[in-house]
């Protein structure tokens, strides 16, 4: 793989040499495509022929959540078309714990998503080349073609599996133009930094109120069932006076041991019985 000039390397401050070498290895490990383009060079040999910018992505991703979308601008600064351009995304997490199967990255070409396979470098970085077809066929993507003095915007989406640990990740992209079994490093993007948030825990079951006398519980915010109405036999009479049972209880408290009290209680119950008998006969 041919690398850029020292001046261009100094401009590519966001990528390590190990990541770039690994990116080239990942790209060149797949079969070459017949439509690889001629070398893309500009009038300024000290600069990359393509400028690259990552933009539009979210500030954070939820582990196990949905996709976040961002964009990769490829700007051709030369006077000739540049074909066979393969971006290579480099992911560097601060904890160096990110594994190749955790980020799910797709790029869009011809309106279809193409999966990106990641590999780990010796520096525990992840690199993934834009080489596969929409159904994951290795090496089926021929690369992008960028017209002279034009900008091509590539849509990218990223999601992280639920077992991804909370962390801070930096993404950037190197551009490689492939020529058969060789390639040129022709562009380097800015850094895109984002946080990974842990998968939300399942909410705990709502607490319940202490058991009632009957043993039932009441969930918070609900209105407990009301007690049943007193039995009509125990309710006061419609006249508002005390019931016969209340009168008997009062006599008992006053002392049923006396003869006069016992006679009075007996009279009350006899009178009540006569009244009940007359009422039934009327009916």
């Amino acid at each position: 793989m041919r690398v850029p000039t020292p001046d261009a390397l100094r401009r590519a401050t966001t990528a390590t040499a190990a990541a770039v070498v690994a990116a080239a290895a990942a790209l060149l490990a797949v079969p070459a495509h017949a439509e690889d383009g001629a070398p893309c060079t500009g009038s300024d040999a000290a600069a990359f022929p393509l400028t690259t910018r990552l933009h539009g992505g979210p500030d954070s991703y939820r582990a196990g959540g949905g996709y976040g979308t961002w964009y990769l601008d490829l700007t051709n600064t030369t006077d000739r078309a540049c074909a066979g351009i393969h971006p290579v995304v480099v992911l560097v997490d601060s904890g160096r714990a990110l594994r190749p199967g955790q980020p799910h990255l797709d790029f869009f070409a011809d309106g279809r998503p193409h999966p990106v396979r990641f590999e780990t470098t010796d520096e525990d970085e992840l690199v993934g080349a834009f080489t596969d077809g929409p159904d994951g066929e290795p090496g089926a993507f021929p690369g992008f073609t960028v017209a002279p003095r034009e900008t091509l915007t590539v849509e990218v989406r990223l999601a992280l599996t639920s077992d991804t640990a909370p962390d801070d990740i930096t993404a950037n992209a190197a551009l490689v133009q492939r020529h058969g079994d060789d390639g040129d490093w022709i562009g380097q993007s800015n850094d895109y930094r984002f946080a990974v948030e842990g998968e939300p825990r399942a909410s705990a079951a709502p607490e319940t109120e202490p058991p009632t006398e009957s043993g039932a519980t009441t969930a918070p915010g609900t209105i407990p069932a009301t007690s049943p109405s007193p039995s009509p036999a125990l309710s006061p009479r419609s006249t508002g006076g005390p019931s016969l049972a209340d009168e008997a209880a009062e006599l008992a408290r006053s002392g049923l041991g006396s003869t006069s009290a016992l006679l009075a209680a007996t009279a009350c119950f006899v009178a009540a019985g006569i009244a009940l008998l007359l009422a039934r006969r009327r009916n």
Side-chain angles (χ1 to χ4, degrees), residues 50 68 132 148 176 200 220 280:
L50 267 67
D132 292 352
V176 177
R280 289 181 177 176

Side-chain angles (χ1 to χ4, degrees), residues 5-272:
T5 64
D7 286 343
L9 283 171
R10 281 194 289 272
R11 289 184 174 88
T13 56
T14 57
T16 66
V20 173
V21 172
L27 176 63
L28 300 179
V30 297
H33 196 280
E35 296 180 9
D36 290 340
C40 184
T41 57
S43 57
D44 185 0
F48 284 124
L50 267 67
T51 61
T52 313
R53 185 172 72 97
L54 293 175
H55 63 95
D59 295 331
S60 64
Y61 292 78
R62 176 75 66 180
Y67 283 99
T69 300
W70 32 288
Y71 301 92
L72 175 62
D73 289 345
L74 312 178
T75 300
N76 186 353
T77 64
T78 74
D79 294 327
R80 59 181 299 176
C82 292
I85 307 302
H86 295 269
V88 181
V89 169
V90 182
L91 300 179
V92 184
D93 62 307
S94 59
R96 292 297 197 271
L98 193 63
R99 302 191 302 273
Q102 291 176 321
H104 289 178
L105 184 72
D106 296 327
F107 69 93
F108 284 80
D110 299 325
R112 302 175 66 186
H114 297 237
V116 175
R117 291 176 291 119
F118 284 100
E119 298 180 5
T120 306
T121 72
D122 293 338
E123 301 295 327
D124 292 325
E125 300 160 322
L126 297 186
V127 294
F130 291 19
T131 58
D132 292 352
D135 298 320
E137 313 95 318
F141 178 61
F144 295 104
T145 297
V146 187
R149 304 292 175 180
E150 296 290 337
T151 296
L152 175 67
T153 299
V154 180
E155 181 180 347
V156 181
R157 66 182 185 183
L158 173 67
L160 298 163
T161 58
S162 60
D163 61 346
T164 306
D167 207 341
D168 293 315
I169 297 179
T170 299
N172 54 65
L175 298 184
V176 177
Q177 184 185 33
R178 186 167 179 173
H179 313 289
D181 294 332
D182 200 359
D184 294 332
W185 181 20
I186 60 171
Q188 178 68 41
S189 79
N190 58 307
D191 286 347
Y192 163 41
R193 295 182 175 88
F194 56 89
V196 179
E197 300 176 357
E199 185 180 26
R201 296 181 180 179
S203 58
E207 296 181 359
T208 57
E209 294 293 333
T212 62
E213 293 181 2
S214 63
T217 57
T218 304
T222 60
I223 301 175
T226 57
S227 300
S229 301
S231 171
L234 300 179
S235 300
R237 290 177 290 185
S238 59
T239 57
S243 66
L244 294 176
D246 293 338
E247 293 174 354
E250 180 61 29
L251 290 172
R253 284 193 295 271
S254 64
L256 291 177
S258 65
T259 304
S260 59
L262 180 59
L263 291 174
T266 304
C268 287
F269 283 109
V270 171

